[in-house]
Amino acid sequence: MPVAISAISAQTLEQMGVRSTDDLQKAVPGVNVSGQRRDDASFYIRGQGPGIFSFGQRNFTSVATYFAEVPALVSGPGVFFDLGAVQILKGPQGTLFGRNTTGGAVLFDPQRPTQKIEGYVQLSAGNYAYRELEAVMNLPVLPDLLSIRLAGNVAERRGFTTSVLTGQHLDGRDYQAYRASILFTPAAGLENLTIVDGREKDQSGTSAIIRQVDPNTATGALIAPYLAQQQALGVRKTLLPIALYDRQSGFGVTNKTVWEASDAITLKNIISFRRNRVDQASDFDGTPVNTFLIQNVPAGREWQIGQEQFTEEFQVQGKVRSIGLDYILGYYHELTKPGFPQEVRQSLFGNVSVRNLGYRDQSDALFAHAELGLTDQLQLSGGFRYTWDKRAASIGVFNTAGVCTQRVPTGTGPITCPFEASGKFKAPSYDATIQYKPMDRVLTYLSYRRGYKSGGLNLPSPGPEFTTFKPEHVDSFEIGLKADWDIGVPLRTNFSAFVDKYKDIQISQPVVIPGVAITSLVQNAGKATNKGFEFEGTIRPLDTLTINGFVSYLDAHSDVTVPGTAAIKGRQTAFQPKWKYGVNGKLDLPVSDALGTVSLSADYSWQGKVNTNETNTAFLTTYPSHGLLGARVELKDVAGSGIDLAVFGTNLTNKAYILGGFPLVSSLGFESAYYGEPRMYGMSARIRFGN
């Protein structure tokens, strides 16, 4: 495929201990994960990230995540079970399927039902009272007509960060997830696949470790005495004074119909509904000082925020064999809204504000893509998309007595609840690629892609000039080489180099709005350039040994200094390391067939330090570089019994590394972070049955 894509099999995910989106970044070049809460972290690809972090407002991200070919809120555990693969597409997307993006897409592909009676039950246990059950059953109810696949995943783990004030174990894990897939094939060339999935999560909240204060601010002066206490405690204990929790409920239904109408025409329709509910209590400074926290819902309410999404996608896939042409014509529709009246309670320096938030986002698009084989060695391909986005949002800010306190414009205008805003955005996006095969099993390509990301709304807004922000556009240039070599042993290499030129790039930064609390302000920050390269390789020096490795380099920075925004010319984009590399290998050990199959696998990944903001401040914060080591020993099919046993460990050197947090805000005067998992180890037993 003539684009930069990383595909990770289910076996590799298990081998590397990938159980959440946080873990995925150690397996792929050019991909990073960061956020302000554990399990809610979002993807960054080639310097492009999630955009708006504002709690309760819709996020149009630069990197879309898909589950079963449908854009979905995919984060945290409860997703990485019974998967076929995870694919990471890099660069602007939208002319082949789904939603348009400027940074890329991450595709989670669940296993499809098969025509076999098969399944397994797996039990896992480990330190921090870790317990997990995973089960799969596949049943061909009516052979060659109706098959069902059922899968479930339940896990618990005690939190590894302890509040010395409350005794609560933060950063815990407690969830249940399920999936039911029904494949109906009533006739040759016609199939209908329905997937129902859900997840319930009720666990302790995300820890916060204070790392830095600005004593010249009022808040920094209050927090400063606790900084030394926190440093003495280390990163696995915190001074959080209240109990925190994270409750979420997700549900989705996807139906895919594929009809091969003829040898030249295939029709495909994907329709889906997804719903998500969230209730979280969060404290962002990690000290007894009440600076900024999100409080629990009051009595009579179950959830704070939500999202209900309906999508419809129709494709015509065709071939004109006489001229060597393959094409796709498609239509995409997406409608998203909260699904119920949202209410978020924020406390800023002890003053509680109640925010009622609403939104309605609609996106429609027509797209087309074609591939033309000029010769056996030379192919041209290209695509076009036109997207229409309609966005509307509202906000009302009240005190706890229910009295509106929101002034529009902020601080000076009349009391107004709710304040409503809307915007319409539209733009074309397109791509063109030329690929050439100079020899067997060697492919080179050169591509150009024009990407578009919708504009949006800042609510609440510091002023009318900030209420709406403009769309973002990118011109992406990429050259690549994909090849299988025979150097005495099999070697596969994938290399790509890219330059992305952004116009009106959207940058998000937290700001304090008096009387409203903290919000995430998005602004267009002029021009930016992201450039770099990525390399992935696989070699099999022995029939029993496979080694995979990757390295990536990224230079992502603003081309101009924009006053009033988080854009400083030449400074590396936040949360983006310049260098990343990793290596993993699997060795099958020679043992008696009567014993089973023994394999040893290990992986190591490293990434450089990152900035946490691009603002021109004396308190520029960085997260240090870090490397992670993992290993797994597995005995498969013990004595021909269908039982697999494994011992595994992640972060074996017990490295303290930062995943995300709350960057320093000059008006608040502090910076806090949450840390990745410490050394985790355990064992598992899988009982397989059927075929």
Side-chain angles (χ1 to χ4, degrees):
M1 190 175 187
V3 294
I5 178 173
S6 296
I8 310 172
S9 67
Q11 181 181 12
T12 301
L13 292 172
E14 183 177 54
Q15 175 183 316
M16 298 184 65
V18 175
R19 304 300 293 175
S20 71
T21 51
D22 297 337
D23 299 327
L24 196 58
Q25 63 182 334
K26 67 183 182 182
V28 185
V31 175
N32 295 288
V33 177
S34 189
Q36 295 175 350
R37 297 177 185 85
R38 192 175 306 278
D39 291 351
D40 288 346
S42 299
F43 289 102
Y44 292 78
I45 295 180
R46 293 182 173 179
Q48 282 290 285
I52 303 170
F53 277 117
S54 188
F55 201 54
Q57 185 169 338
R58 176 77 190 290
N59 178 16
F60 263 43
T61 176
S62 300
V63 179
T65 52
Y66 289 77
F67 180 80
E69 300 185 63
V70 171
L73 292 173
V74 178
S75 63
V79 176
F80 290 83
F81 69 99
D82 199 34
L83 290 177
V86 177
Q87 300 180 66
I88 294 92
L89 280 61
K90 301 166 186 177
Q93 307 293 323
T95 64
L96 283 168
F97 62 88
R99 183 186 295 167
N100 59 293
T101 63
T102 53
V106 182
L107 283 57
F108 295 85
D109 300 323
Q111 291 279 13
R112 288 164 51 94
T114 68
Q115 295 298 318
K116 301 176 181 178
I117 298 176
E118 59 184 358
Y120 64 85
V121 176
Q122 177 172 298
L123 294 170
S124 304
N127 60 336
Y128 292 95
Y130 164 61
R131 295 172 293 175
E132 184 170 1
L133 169 65
E134 182 176 327
V136 173
M137 176 174 286
N138 191 95
L139 295 172
V141 180
L142 297 172
D144 299 321
L145 180 63
L146 181 66
S147 297
I148 297 176
R149 190 177 185 91
L150 305 175
N153 184 218
V154 179
E156 293 182 4
R157 190 201 62 209
R158 189 180 72 243
F160 50 79
T161 309
T162 304
S163 169
V164 298
L165 300 182
T166 67
Q168 184 185 23
H169 297 296
L170 296 155
D171 304 315
R173 182 168 291 175
D174 189 347
Y175 69 87
Q176 305 87 42
Y178 63 87
R179 192 178 304 150
S181 304
I182 304 170
L183 179 62
F184 181 48
T185 53
L190 177 62
E191 70 170 38
N192 181 273
L193 175 64
T194 300
I195 302 174
V196 179
D197 66 276
R199 183 181 68 166
E200 302 293 327
K201 182 170 68 171
D202 189 354
Q203 59 194 35
S204 58
T206 300
S207 63
I209 305 297
I210 191 71
R211 295 184 68 228
Q212 184 176 214
V213 299
D214 181 358
N216 297 317
T217 64
T219 307
L222 290 173
I223 292 178
Y226 296 102
L227 181 59
Q229 292 184 40
Q230 181 63 72
Q231 291 171 340
L233 290 172
V235 302
R236 301 304 179 193
K237 294 182 180 180
T238 184
L239 296 164
L240 286 166
I242 60 174
L244 306 180
Y245 63 88
D246 179 4
R247 296 176 55 244
Q248 295 191 38
S249 176
F251 172 78
V253 179
T254 302
N255 182 270
K256 295 188 288 185
T257 301
V258 179
W259 178 36
E260 296 178 6
S262 69
D263 292 341
I265 297 291
T266 297
L267 305 181
K268 183 176 183 179
N269 192 78
I270 308 172
I271 187 170
S272 77
F273 172 78
R274 302 200 65 85
R275 182 185 67 206
N276 196 62
R277 302 282 188 263
V278 176
D279 176 27
Q280 295 173 331
S282 305
D283 187 312
F284 293 95
D285 61 55
T287 75
V289 178
N290 185 351
T291 56
F292 172 45
L293 57 89
I294 294 178
Q295 296 184 321
N296 57 307
V297 297
R301 290 186 64 91
E302 186 176 7
W303 305 106
Q304 296 165 324
I305 64 172
Q307 178 173 306
E308 291 186 356
Q309 173 188 281
F310 170 80
T311 66
E312 160 64 24
E313 180 173 349
F314 179 72
Q315 295 182 12
V316 178
Q317 303 175 3
K319 298 178 181 292
V320 183
R321 291 187 173 85
S322 61
I323 60 173
L325 175 68
D326 294 344
Y327 64 88
I328 296 175
L329 304 175
Y331 165 71
Y332 178 77
H333 168 77
E334 178 180 303
L335 177 63
T336 308
K337 52 188 178 180
F340 67 96
Q342 299 183 117
E343 181 179 296
V344 179
R345 295 187 169 225
Q346 289 189 359
S347 176
L348 186 64
F349 307 115
N351 296 316
V352 178
S353 65
V354 181
R355 300 200 298 177
N356 291 344
L357 301 153
Y359 62 85
R360 187 181 190 277
D361 290 325
Q362 179 176 324
S363 183
D364 292 274
L366 295 172
F367 59 89
H369 185 86
E371 298 179 358
L372 178 63
L374 300 179
T375 69
D376 291 340
Q377 295 176 295
L378 184 64
Q379 183 191 77
L380 297 177
S381 62
F384 182 85
R385 179 190 183 100
Y386 205 95
T387 306
W388 297 265
D389 293 312
K390 298 179 182 179
R391 309 195 67 182
S394 65
I395 183 172
V397 182
F398 304 84
N399 61 23
T400 54
V403 178
C404 177
T405 60
Q406 177 176 253
R407 292 185 178 274
V408 182
T410 301
T412 60
I415 296 289
T416 304
C417 283
F419 174 70
E420 299 177 330
S422 62
K424 293 183 179 180
F425 311 95
K426 60 182 180 180
S429 51
Y430 38 87
D431 60 70
T433 300
I434 181 171
Q435 68 177 65
Y436 178 64
K437 296 180 179 179
M439 63 184 73
D440 187 35
R441 299 187 300 173
V442 176
L443 169 69
T444 62
Y445 66 89
L446 175 65
S447 70
Y448 164 74
R449 285 177 282 179
R450 171 75 168 181
Y452 151 82
K453 183 168 72 171
S454 172
L457 308 166
N458 285 310
L459 294 183
S461 170
E465 68 275 23
F466 296 109
T467 300
T468 302
F469 55 90
K470 296 184 295 184
E472 173 183 294
H473 299 275
V474 60
D475 292 296
S476 177
F477 306 87
E478 181 176 326
I479 186 171
L481 170 68
K482 299 172 182 280
D484 289 325
W485 312 95
D486 185 356
I487 57 172
V489 295
L491 171 65
R492 170 170 292 178
T493 59
N494 292 331
F495 173 82
S496 62
F498 62 91
V499 176
D500 296 340
K501 304 292 289 187
Y502 288 87
K503 179 182 179 183
D504 293 324
I505 190 168
Q506 298 167 5
I507 293 182
S508 175
Q509 58 184 346
V511 297
V512 177
I513 300 180
V516 177
I518 293 179
T519 190
S520 196
L521 180 68
V522 180
Q523 296 172 270
N524 297 100
K527 299 179 180 180
T529 299
N530 296 356
K531 59 180 180 290
F533 69 85
E534 297 157 357
F535 172 83
E536 294 178 279
T538 299
I539 189 170
R540 294 191 64 191
L542 302 170
D543 290 341
T544 57
L545 176 62
T546 302
I547 301 174
N548 306 293
F550 72 82
V551 61
S552 62
Y553 172 78
L554 173 68
D555 178 7
H557 62 265
S558 176
D559 293 337
V560 293
T561 296
V562 183
T565 74
I568 305 300
K569 184 176 181 179
R571 180 169 290 171
Q572 183 80 349
T573 299
F575 306 113
Q576 301 303 294
K578 284 197 170 184
W579 287 98
K580 282 187 64 176
Y581 65 82
V583 62
N584 67 82
K586 181 182 178 184
L587 174 65
D588 296 324
L589 301 178
V591 296
S592 170
D593 292 340
L595 177 63
T597 303
V598 178
S599 62
L600 170 64
S601 58
D603 61 90
Y604 179 79
S605 62
W606 181 91
Q607 70 173 47
K609 68 177 183 179
V610 301
N611 295 331
T612 63
N613 59 57
E614 297 117 55
T615 55
N616 193 12
T617 170
F619 289 89
L620 176 66
T621 305
T622 61
Y623 293 162
S625 62
H626 66 268
L628 299 176
L629 175 67
R632 180 183 180 91
V633 180
E634 188 169 29
L635 174 59
K636 281 198 169 187
D637 199 21
V638 179
S641 63
I643 297 176
D644 304 333
L645 302 176
V647 178
F648 53 85
T650 58
N651 191 9
L652 292 177
T653 60
N654 205 27
K655 181 71 175 181
Y657 65 100
I658 300 174
L659 278 176
F662 203 72
L664 183 74
V665 182
S666 58
S667 52
L668 284 181
F670 71 87
E671 184 260 330
S672 63
Y674 69 90
Y675 284 74
E677 295 178 349
R679 181 188 296 115
M680 295 288 183
Y681 54 85
M683 62 182 302
S684 67
R686 174 178 291 194
I687 303 174
R688 293 178 284 109
F689 57 87
N691 295 321

